[in-house]
Amino acid sequence: MSLHEDIQTVSEDLGSECRVRVTGRITIDSSPGLRALLLERLKSETCINLILDLSAVSYLDTSGLAIFVETLKAARTQGKAFHLTGLTERPRYLLEATRLLRLFDATPAEPSVAKAAQESSL
């Protein structure tokens, strides 16, 4: 699904787990659409654990961080969970520099993605 010219998303439901994969750049221009999508996914009764896969995100600015914090707050208010996965260099750096990474149950990129990224940097 295209929310903005800078990002593409794919959503899938796996029982009580909802996964949203984002590709592209999360910026002040593209973030409102992502915000709406994440908050809408949390409204689903079947979505107990929302996972945001950032393994294909090349750029993240502070508007993206604001969305992550807002989504986490909404999830906790609803008794649900929100996790980040697939954090690459730029998103991870920004979350670490702002000391927000500890708020999220952030997991590294899935093995195949992490391995491909490591091999491409050789």
Side-chain angles (χ1 to χ4, degrees):
M1 165 189 269
S2 178
L3 303 174
H4 183 271
E5 63 189 34
D6 286 345
I7 61 173
Q8 295 284 321
T9 61
V10 175
S11 298
E12 60 184 330
D13 294 334
L14 306 166
S16 64
E17 181 179 293
C18 305
R19 183 175 290 260
V20 176
R21 281 180 273 151
V22 181
T23 301
R25 298 169 44 89
I26 301 174
T27 65
I28 188 102
D29 296 321
S30 63
S31 60
L34 181 60
R35 175 190 177 273
L37 173 67
L38 294 175
L39 295 176
E40 186 64 34
R41 299 293 295 150
L42 278 177
K43 289 181 183 178
S44 170
E45 290 182 21
T46 59
C47 184
I48 305 302
N49 185 24
L50 178 59
I51 298 173
L52 183 60
D53 183 349
L54 300 170
S55 58
V57 171
S58 60
Y59 179 83
L60 172 70
D61 69 15
T62 56
S63 66
L65 296 182
I67 290 168
F68 300 165
V69 171
E70 182 179 1
T71 303
L72 178 64
K73 183 178 176 183
R76 288 181 176 173
T77 299
Q78 298 174 39
K80 298 180 179 187
F82 176 59
H83 306 280
L84 303 177
T85 189
L87 289 170
T88 56
E89 187 176 323
R90 170 69 183 178
R92 178 172 291 282
Y93 171 78
L94 195 53
L95 283 160
E96 287 174 347
T98 57
R99 298 184 181 191
L100 291 173
L101 185 60
R102 62 187 168 83
L103 296 177
F104 301 93
D105 182 17
T107 56
E110 294 176 15
S112 60
V113 174
K115 185 177 179 184
Q118 185 180 23
E119 288 174 356
S120 69
S121 66
L122 296 177

